[in-house]
Amino acid sequence: RRASPLDPCTTGSAVPRALNDDLCWLSVVGSIARPPPAGIVLGPCPVGSAGRRRGGELGCSVCRKMASHIVGYPRMGPKRELKFALESFWDGKSSAEDLEKVATDLRASIWKQMADAGIKYIPSNTFSYYDQVLDTTAMLGAVPDRYSWTGGEINLSTYFSMARGNATVPAMEMTKWFDTNYHFIVPELAPSTKFSYSSHKAINEYKEAKALGVDTVPVLVGPVSYLLLSKAAKGVEKSFSPLSLLSSILPVYKEVIAELKAAGASWIQFDEPTLVKDLESHQLSAFSAAYAELESALSGLNVLVETYFADVPADSYKTLTSLSSVTAYGFDLERGTKTLELVKSGFPAGKYLFAGVVDGRNIWADDLAASLATLQSLEAVVGKDKLVVSTSCSLMHTAVDLVNETKLDDEIKSWLAFAAQKVVEVNALAKALAGQKDEAYFAANAAALASRRSSPRVTNEEVQKAATALKGSDHRRATTVSARLDAQQKKLNLPVLPTTTIGSFPQTVELRRVRREYKAKKISEEEYTNAIKEEISKVVKIQEELDIDVLVHGEPERNDMVEYFGEQLSGFTFTANGWVQSYGSRCVKPPIIYGDVSRPNPMTVFWSKMAQSMTARPMKGMLTGPVTILNWSFVRNDQPRFETCYQIALAIKKEVEDLEAGGIQVIQIDEAALREGLPLRKSEHAFYLDWAVHSFRITNCGVQDTTQIHTHMCYSNFNDIIQSIINMDADVITIENSRSDEKLLSVFREGVVYGAGIGPGVYDIHSPRIPSKEEIADRVNKMLAVLDTNILWVNPDCGLKTRKYAEVKPALTNMVEAAKQIRAELAKAQ
């Protein structure tokens, strides 16, 4: 298009590339193939074509048709490089420059990887130091007043204070991202919130990629989804809707768009995942209004609106596909089979379809033949030149790269695809759609799928029969919760407002070293057992000194609350580096459930009995519930999820009964992820909640009335499923409350009667901030305004694994002192 210096081709060809071109020399600009500049020798086709080009032209039909896209990519790095850089920075051991160097290197490697794989539409601005919604809050300058931000570009100090809190103010609320195990920072908005362009991250990362020779698609959280995911700030909850601020945030979006256009962006992606939810008419109208208002700013850009995680309802589909400013629509066709039918029944002429056929939320190899058939059926609907092969959602919800795996055996490894392999799958499908099918690759994929279907290690007939037999009962305990609580109190003799913690205590460097050396066989089993026993003894002593009423053993033997159990259950396998971001720097390594599940041997009884022998106080046996194990694993996709959940429930049931037989009087079965698995569409809620709650009840239906069953839930919105929580029939539930501004208490203010024990969290453990005794006492008094004294427990929001002892001890001291103070006040008032 213009005479300019040439730099190396980004696809790896020997053909140079014009700095200002948005298509490489081997492709077609519009429909006109361009001849090479004089003296340039053609290299091999970078996409694997035979290299034949019409009449000396550089463009060929293969390059023109091969359209592939990735919604987003994991941020942490293949070996959690970002996690360690963040934690080093937070601990004051490294500088902001050191952190940025790690981040810059990670971004460059991700962009290069996708470019080398042949991906055409490569995303930028999907990297984050903490969370993409928090990044949008920073972009809009929507900083709550308590952080004392005075304007200008938001720095790391303000950014991380919003995410994590600091010594003087608490963090913003954190909750689950739709039905995933990722957590986002919830924006706090009010009528008085002022918006200004305060973080230039999107434009900076676009320019950064472009300097590396990669022309990317900048990704922004869409304006309507941002507001629908926001909450009204404290004090205006009942009188204010964040969506009313739409006209106030759009000017900032216009500024961002203008900068991206000026920098040479030709595409922009707006993530609007709330379109898959059940929306009211005024919310749908907001999408129409927003993109109509942005239309002039978007002129000259190709605009992709991306949705994911579920079907797009028919009314939302109609609204979305009628937006004149939008060029392309991205749909999750893995979880959105009904959306596929909507597309086939009517798709706007001249628009692009970004077809999410490769699953971004699981680790199983794609059924390439089936996906190709789906894509070919869509070609006839949208047109060959308007179909783009994509992932169903961002790949941040899956592990990074199978190449790094050393623990998996070859058979199971052949069944899998992590993020890096899914990029290759996307490109392979795009090539096949363009007539360049890699027959060997497709044949290997078909063979792996056949191997998985026929493998004897997948099926256990005895387990399947036991799970099938469960369907004849609702597995409720024989007596009411009030009768059980009376029997338990006679045995446990707990004070009013009993104190406890949620389970884990700090995982020190020394503790991790012991577990690591034991796994590597560098220390003996006796040495390992003695080290863990010593740690348990320390944790028990700390709790007794603090005068906590119901103790925990601290879980020093556990690497993760799901992985620990999966390692001892059949049907599970594990990775060495299959890490997935949960929030901030926190990563989890989900087990892979590949077959039928059973419990060969007791899993926790030895450690629980040891801990109970060290104290006269009640010691909780700590288990992870079946629904949480399911939702925090990569689950087999060859049978319904509820069938796998029932199998896990039977395994946990055996463990519960063995703990009871071993003298453990209080058993906690965590269901932290029960709410997380709730489908996004209300029409699907009842079926999920029925089998999920049933699975929990299966685990403890056989215990005596005097055995107290606890459960725990964290960091989600529980108000809409409170009746299902009651239906779980647990004796005591501990539940996150403090970080969400005591949102949970509102359900009891509205008249819900809860007769079981309940412990709404009194302080946020995901912040290093230490709450005062007065602050905790104030929270407890607010709880007593809506809950009976005889059912209320006092506890933190969640487990203490991620905190340091220097934070834990004073916080728990203040918690216990606050409980004692209020007990004394209650006694005086009698």
Side-chain angles (χ1 to χ4, degrees):
R1 278 188 292 207
R2 67 180 180 85
S4 67
L6 300 176
D7 67 348
C9 175
T10 59
T11 59
S13 166
V15 182
R17 173 184 181 272
L19 283 171
N20 201 38
D21 282 354
D22 54 18
L23 294 174
C24 73
W25 287 96
L26 286 179
S27 68
V28 175
V29 178
S31 60
I32 305 169
R34 304 177 62 202
I40 290 179
V41 179
L42 293 180
C45 175
V47 296
S49 164
R52 297 193 183 97
R53 300 171 180 84
R54 301 185 302 274
E57 297 168 343
L58 274 170
C60 73
S61 59
V62 174
C63 280
R64 179 169 58 84
K65 289 183 180 178
M66 281 183 44
S68 52
H69 167 252
I70 304 297
V71 176
Y73 201 81
R75 306 154 178 164
M76 284 290 127
K79 295 186 178 177
R80 296 180 293 163
E81 291 87 344
L82 182 60
K83 168 189 171 66
F84 299 122
L86 282 167
E87 292 173 358
S88 175
F89 175 71
W90 293 336
D91 288 343
K93 296 175 181 176
S94 59
S95 66
E97 291 74 22
D98 295 328
L99 176 61
E100 179 56 33
K101 173 68 166 59
V102 172
T104 301
D105 290 347
L106 280 173
R107 289 192 294 265
S109 68
I110 291 167
W111 292 325
K112 182 179 186 302
Q113 175 187 345
M114 286 193 253
D116 289 349
I119 300 300
K120 182 173 182 180
Y121 300 107
I122 298 171
S124 61
N125 199 40
T126 56
F127 178 88
S128 179
Y129 281 127
Y130 208 94
D131 164 53
Q132 70 270 16
V133 181
L134 181 61
D135 292 346
T136 309
T137 294
M139 181 186 84
L140 295 169
V143 181
D145 291 341
R146 66 179 177 274
Y147 299 107
S148 303
W149 177 63
T150 56
E153 189 80 1
I154 288 177
N155 59 25
L156 288 179
S157 175
T158 300
Y159 180 86
F160 287 132
S161 290
M162 290 191 286
R164 307 176 70 237
N166 57 42
T168 58
V169 292
M172 295 169 68
E173 181 183 348
M174 179 171 69
T175 197
K176 297 292 176 73
W177 178 245
F178 294 82
D179 59 347
T180 74
N181 186 32
Y182 178 75
H183 302 66
F184 74 98
I185 303 297
V186 182
E188 299 174 18
L189 304 177
S192 59
T193 303
K194 303 297 181 188
F195 300 98
S196 61
Y197 188 10
S198 303
S199 170
H200 292 67
K201 177 177 176 294
I203 182 65
N204 291 342
E205 289 187 16
Y206 174 77
K207 289 179 176 178
E208 186 180 313
K210 192 169 183 179
L212 297 170
V214 183
D215 190 20
T216 59
V217 178
V219 179
L220 302 174
V221 174
V224 183
S225 287
Y226 176 79
L227 293 175
L228 291 178
L229 293 168
S230 300
K231 72 172 187 178
K234 206 167 185 178
V236 296
E237 297 96 331
K238 293 184 178 178
S239 60
F240 168 71
S241 166
L243 194 57
S244 65
L245 295 173
L246 182 60
S247 61
S248 300
I249 69 170
L250 291 179
V252 178
Y253 274 88
K254 289 179 181 179
E255 288 186 70
V256 178
I257 292 164
E259 283 199 354
L260 290 169
K261 280 173 68 174
S266 56
W267 280 83
I268 188 168
Q269 175 179 320
F270 292 101
D271 281 5
E272 294 281 15
T274 55
L275 278 164
V276 305
K277 302 185 82 172
D278 297 305
L279 299 178
E280 298 175 11
S281 57
H282 76 281
Q283 294 170 323
L284 286 174
S285 296
F287 284 95
S288 300
Y291 287 91
E293 175 64 25
L294 291 175
E295 186 162 10
S296 60
L298 292 168
S299 176
L301 281 173
N302 290 297
V303 178
L304 165 63
V305 172
E306 185 68 50
T307 68
Y308 35 76
F309 299 149
D311 283 301
V312 175
D315 52 354
S316 297
Y317 179 83
K318 182 179 179 181
T319 297
L320 176 58
T321 54
S322 66
L323 301 177
S324 58
S325 59
V326 176
T327 315
Y329 314 102
F331 297 123
D332 181 341
L333 300 183
E334 175 65 28
R335 293 188 170 215
T337 53
K338 293 177 184 175
T339 304
L340 182 62
E341 297 309 311
L342 286 174
V343 171
K344 289 181 178 179
S345 65
F347 191 78
K351 299 296 179 81
Y352 288 85
L353 172 63
F354 281 59
V357 294
V358 173
D359 190 357
R361 294 208 28 198
N362 218 322
I363 42 67
W364 303 108
D366 189 65
D367 185 338
L368 294 177
S371 292
L372 182 58
T374 298
L375 292 164
Q376 289 169 336
S377 71
L378 289 169
E379 272 192 327
V381 177
V382 305
K384 286 181 178 291
D385 60 340
K386 299 296 182 183
L387 183 60
V388 179
V389 183
S390 186
T391 53
S392 65
C393 62
S394 172
L395 296 177
M396 67 180 284
H397 304 291
T398 191
V400 180
D401 195 344
L402 201 54
V403 170
N404 296 321
E405 290 310 320
T406 54
K407 289 176 67 174
L408 296 169
D409 64 67
D410 290 341
E411 181 183 32
I412 288 181
K413 202 169 181 179
S414 73
W415 302 345
L416 307 179
F418 291 179
Q421 287 69 47
K422 289 178 186 292
V423 169
V424 175
E425 288 180 335
V426 167
N427 194 55
L429 286 166
K431 287 173 66 175
L433 201 60
Q436 293 292 313
K437 183 178 178 183
D438 185 333
E439 296 291 352
Y441 185 74
F442 271 68
N445 172 261
L449 295 176
S451 161
R452 184 178 166 210
R453 283 191 295 268
S454 61
S455 176
R457 65 200 297 189
V458 171
T459 306
N460 183 323
E461 288 186 14
E462 185 180 334
V463 170
Q464 291 188 349
K465 285 179 183 176
T468 301
L470 292 170
K471 296 171 186 175
S473 168
D474 66 1
H475 296 90
R476 287 186 180 275
R477 292 170 77 178
T479 53
T480 64
V481 68
S482 59
R484 298 196 307 264
L485 287 173
D486 286 343
Q488 291 155 15
Q489 179 58 17
K490 287 174 184 174
K491 191 168 186 179
L492 297 173
N493 193 30
L494 297 173
V496 172
L497 307 180
T499 54
T500 189
T501 64
I502 303 306
S504 61
F505 263 62
Q507 296 259 325
T508 62
V509 173
E510 175 62 18
L511 191 53
R512 290 190 173 98
R513 181 193 64 77
V514 167
R515 286 203 308 263
R516 188 169 58 248
E517 290 186 352
Y518 177 61
K519 280 198 170 187
K521 297 186 175 11
K522 291 182 179 178
I523 61 174
S524 69
E525 183 167 352
E526 182 181 2
E527 289 173 309
Y528 171 73
T529 300
N530 288 337
I532 297 299
K533 182 178 180 180
E534 185 179 334
E535 181 69 18
I536 291 173
S537 178
K538 180 180 83 172
V539 169
V540 170
K541 185 178 179 183
I542 288 170
Q543 292 172 93
E544 288 186 326
E545 289 173 349
L546 291 170
D547 205 15
I548 291 173
D549 299 303
V550 176
L551 310 190
V552 298
H553 76 291
E555 305 175 13
E557 79 285 9
R558 304 185 190 185
N559 45 10
D560 175 83
M561 65 181 288
V562 173
E563 184 175 356
Y564 177 78
F565 290 93
E567 285 177 336
Q568 301 179 78
L569 294 169
S570 65
F572 283 73
T573 192
F574 297 86
T575 63
N577 290 293
W579 298 99
V580 179
Q581 184 183 18
S582 178
Y583 63 87
S585 68
R586 168 77 169 146
C587 298
V588 294
K589 189 150 58 75
I592 297 168
I593 306 177
Y594 67 85
D596 291 333
V597 178
S598 62
R599 186 202 73 150
N601 298 294
M603 301 179 285
T604 66
V605 178
F606 173 79
W607 299 115
S608 292
K609 287 175 68 176
M610 175 189 289
Q612 183 63 81
S613 72
M614 297 175 180
T615 180
R617 301 185 186 212
M619 174 64 63
K620 283 197 280 191
M622 298 299 305
L623 304 175
T624 302
V627 183
T628 297
I629 290 176
L630 183 89
N631 286 335
W632 286 356
S633 297
F634 291 125
V635 183
R636 58 189 295 189
N637 58 1
D638 58 346
Q639 70 177 16
R641 288 173 70 88
F642 70 85
E643 291 187 11
T644 302
C645 199
Y646 284 159
Q647 293 177 2
I648 302 169
L650 284 173
I652 299 300
K653 181 175 185 290
K654 290 181 179 180
E655 189 72 13
V656 169
E657 291 167 355
D658 282 350
L659 282 168
E660 184 182 54
I664 304 302
Q665 302 173 63
V666 182
I667 301 172
Q668 181 169 308
I669 308 166
D670 285 345
E671 284 296 12
L674 187 137
R675 176 62 172 79
E676 174 184 311
L678 191 70
L680 300 177
R681 306 291 297 281
K682 290 178 182 176
S683 61
E684 300 169 11
H685 285 191
F687 177 68
Y688 167 77
L689 289 169
D690 179 66
W691 64 254
V693 170
H694 187 191
S695 295
F696 176 82
R697 289 202 305 261
I698 287 166
T699 65
N700 61 88
C701 62
V703 300
Q704 300 174 24
D705 286 358
T706 51
T707 298
Q708 190 167 84
I709 299 296
H710 289 224
T711 190
H712 170 68
M713 296 181 180
C714 59
Y715 297 99
S716 206
N717 181 9
F718 299 106
N719 292 23
D720 56 345
I721 63 164
I722 191 66
Q723 291 302 328
S724 294
I725 292 173
I726 294 171
N727 201 28
M728 291 170 72
D729 201 27
D731 297 314
V732 178
I733 180 171
T734 52
I735 196 163
E736 181 275 327
N737 173 67
S738 65
R739 184 154 181 168
S740 58
D741 288 331
E742 298 156 356
K743 190 188 299 180
L744 173 71
L745 299 185
S746 65
V747 76
F748 301 110
R749 294 188 188 104
E750 292 162 9
V752 170
V753 178
Y754 193 76
I758 184 168
V762 296
Y763 78 91
D764 175 24
I765 64 87
H766 289 301
S767 170
R769 181 174 167 271
I770 298 166
S772 66
K773 180 180 83 171
E774 292 72 23
E775 179 183 333
I776 294 174
D778 180 60
R779 286 191 186 278
V780 175
N781 281 319
K782 286 178 181 177
M783 296 171 192
L784 287 171
V786 292
L787 293 166
D788 289 342
T789 307
N790 62 340
I791 67 169
L792 186 62
W793 286 63
V794 179
N795 46 263
D797 265 350
C798 202
L800 305 171
K801 176 181 178 179
T802 60
R803 299 269 56 89
K804 296 178 173 62
Y805 273 106
E807 300 157 350
V808 165
K809 287 182 181 179
L812 290 180
T813 297
N814 292 343
M815 184 188 82
V816 173
E817 290 303 313
K820 288 181 176 180
Q821 174 186 311
I822 296 174
R823 283 177 200 157
E825 292 168 358
L826 290 170
K828 238 185 235 185
Q830 287 179 348

